[in-house]
Amino acid sequence: MDSPFGLLAELTYRCPLACPYCSNPLNLAGYQDELTTGEWLRVLTEAEDLGVLQCHLSGGEPLLRRDVVELVAHAHDLGLYTNLITSALGFSRPRAEQLRAAGLDHVQISIQADEPTVSDRIAGTPSFHRKIEAMRVVKELGWPLTMNVVLHRHNIDRLADVLALAEEVGADRVELANTQYYGWAWRNRDALLPSRAQLEAAEAVVRTAGERLRDHMDIIYVIPDYYSRYPKPCMGGWASRQLTVTPNGDVLPCPAAQSLPLPRASVREDPLARIWAEAPVMTAFRGTDWMPEPCRSCPRREVDFGGCRCQAFLLTGDAARTDPVCYLSPDHDLVARAVEAANADSRPSDLPLIPRPHQLHAPGRHPGRAGRTASGAE
């Protein structure tokens, strides 16, 4: 594609949760100087000019931005389809009604498990009941609702009950996404990676539920990379369909790419169209010319595009290597050893999780409106 289809607008990395699988950067200090309202309005306009059709408002927790309603209204006026990706903490009925009036099209709410004790333990804060109430508000106000559940060793055995909860709240779509190992999830990989037996049981549950609910609810199940024979394409191909703008204005081809040793590109310095077309962070792995063997001569090179650059970098230290998930990769043993450890009889059953620190406030600027500084939090 010559232009991106979707924009992930990461409005802030501040978040009331402390999920141990969070993929946001480990070093949050570099993202405290958040874009002002005026800067975000310009980014949205430039995105629409570039050809973007969908705008996903995310974080952290996007509801911690005071200007989120104004941003939704502007995106709606531009003709963009808007999706709020939220923990639902801060999603009060008055706020929801403001977002509805502003033209918000869709709401995606994350939940950590089907039961309060487990969900709150994983989230690091009491949140389960507020999430359920927010889902009810979403349905009462007539929005389509996606329920997102990140799966891992500590909740994947509860999948049947998770799907029952999705039915109960009237979710139109359920995303069951096995953990991607970036950020805090990378630090917690050994504790989060499920066993093969857990995955086989989960896949059976998904198949059964998919057949039963196919006329009522879409179920999207994303298997973990580490158990795949081939890697997934990075966002449909590096910088081909999607782009991400981080809270401080950096532009990336995917949410995890800030970890890569590539020159930064910022909307504070260049127009979005120029960044998309020319910035090294966008062009470095676009297409197939950059590929090493075995990708270069592989018939799948335009199917999976060599896999995930961020995963290759984390595992090998070289972003240009074939994704080690691929069984053809010369580094595949790095993944095979992790899978072997996850399935070993000697593996401790209670490996501790390192929670992501809570971050609701930070000492940097958090503009809530153009031209003046505010805390950004409700």
Side-chain angles (χ1 to χ4, degrees):
M1 299 178 69
D2 293 329
S3 61
F5 179 80
L7 165 68
L8 179 64
E10 296 184 318
L11 302 183
T12 180
Y13 284 145
R14 289 168 291 139
C15 184
L17 304 187
C19 303
Y21 51 77
C22 182
S23 61
N24 284 342
L26 298 179
N27 177 25
L28 297 178
Y31 300 91
Q32 293 175 358
D33 187 12
E34 296 178 359
L35 295 179
T36 64
T37 304
E39 287 172 322
W40 271 118
L41 294 177
R42 175 174 56 81
V43 167
L44 293 175
T45 299
E46 291 182 4
E48 192 275 334
D49 289 341
L50 186 56
V52 165
L53 300 176
Q54 295 183 352
C55 176
H56 305 277
L57 301 161
S58 181
E61 175 48 65
L63 291 173
L64 288 173
R65 289 280 302 209
R66 289 181 175 177
D67 56 0
V68 65
V69 173
E70 184 174 349
L71 299 181
V72 167
H74 185 65
H76 175 74
D77 290 344
L78 291 169
L80 301 178
Y81 183 91
T82 51
N83 174 31
L84 179 70
I85 302 172
T86 176
S87 70
L89 275 66
F91 193 80
S92 63
R93 179 174 284 275
R95 195 79 174 282
E97 290 173 347
Q98 291 173 350
L99 289 164
R100 195 74 173 108
L104 182 68
D105 293 297
H106 183 275
V107 180
Q108 175 178 312
I109 295 177
S110 65
I111 198 163
Q112 283 63 40
D114 63 287
E115 189 272 334
T117 302
V118 177
S119 185
D120 292 349
R121 174 172 57 81
I122 295 170
T125 193
S127 55
F128 178 85
H129 292 296
R130 283 183 283 177
K131 290 172 178 285
I132 297 302
E133 177 57 29
M135 292 183 196
R136 293 190 176 117
V137 170
V138 167
K139 296 305 297 182
E140 288 171 8
L141 292 181
W143 273 305
L145 169 66
T146 292
M147 190 173 91
N148 174 269
V149 186
V150 176
L151 299 177
H152 45 79
R153 197 177 189 102
H154 295 259
N155 66 1
I156 196 168
D157 295 330
R158 310 184 67 91
L159 197 47
D161 293 324
V162 166
L163 287 167
L165 176 64
E167 283 189 83
E168 181 184 336
V169 298
D172 302 280
R173 188 171 183 266
V174 181
E175 289 185 357
L176 306 169
N178 275 279
T179 302
Q180 302 291 306
Y181 295 103
Y182 314 113
W184 287 95
W186 174 249
R187 287 193 173 185
N188 284 302
R189 186 187 68 173
D190 292 345
L192 291 170
L193 190 62
S195 69
R196 185 171 281 106
Q198 285 181 302
L199 286 172
E200 290 173 353
E203 288 168 5
V205 168
V206 170
R207 281 196 301 273
T208 301
E211 293 171 2
R212 182 173 62 83
L213 298 170
R214 61 186 174 186
D215 295 329
H216 308 287
M217 185 168 65
D218 291 331
I219 300 176
I220 311 301
Y221 179 71
V222 182
I223 65 173
D225 287 0
Y226 281 41
Y227 284 90
S228 300
R229 183 174 175 84
Y230 299 107
K232 301 180 184 70
C234 174
M235 306 294 289
W238 181 274
S240 65
R241 300 180 183 178
Q242 311 277 339
L243 79 163
T244 296
V245 178
T246 68
N248 69 341
D250 287 351
V251 184
L252 302 169
C254 78
Q258 58 267 90
S259 64
L260 302 185
L262 293 170
R264 67 184 291 272
S266 173
V267 296
R268 284 175 163 158
E269 298 170 5
D270 287 297
L272 200 57
R274 182 182 301 165
I275 293 172
W276 175 259
E278 302 175 10
V281 71
M282 292 293 171
T283 61
F285 303 110
R286 184 179 275 157
T288 59
D289 290 346
W290 62 271
M291 289 183 175
E293 293 291 354
C295 297
R296 181 177 292 274
S297 57
C298 180
R300 291 180 56 87
R301 66 183 178 277
E302 294 186 1
V303 176
D304 57 40
F305 298 97
C308 176
R309 300 300 88 225
C310 302
Q311 191 156 256
F313 179 72
L314 281 171
L315 288 166
T316 73
D318 183 356
R321 298 282 287 183
T322 298
D323 187 338
V325 161
C326 183
Y327 84 103
L328 297 171
S329 166
D331 305 304
H332 182 65
D333 65 302
L334 297 172
V335 170
R337 288 202 300 268
V339 170
E340 182 180 357
N343 289 276
D345 292 337
S346 59
R347 181 194 180 279
S349 59
D350 57 349
L351 287 175
L353 291 167
I354 305 169
R356 175 193 184 272
H358 295 276
Q359 185 161 349
L360 289 172
H361 306 281
R365 292 194 309 136
H366 296 303
R369 301 194 60 80
R372 69 173 198 237
T373 300
S375 69
E378 285 287 292

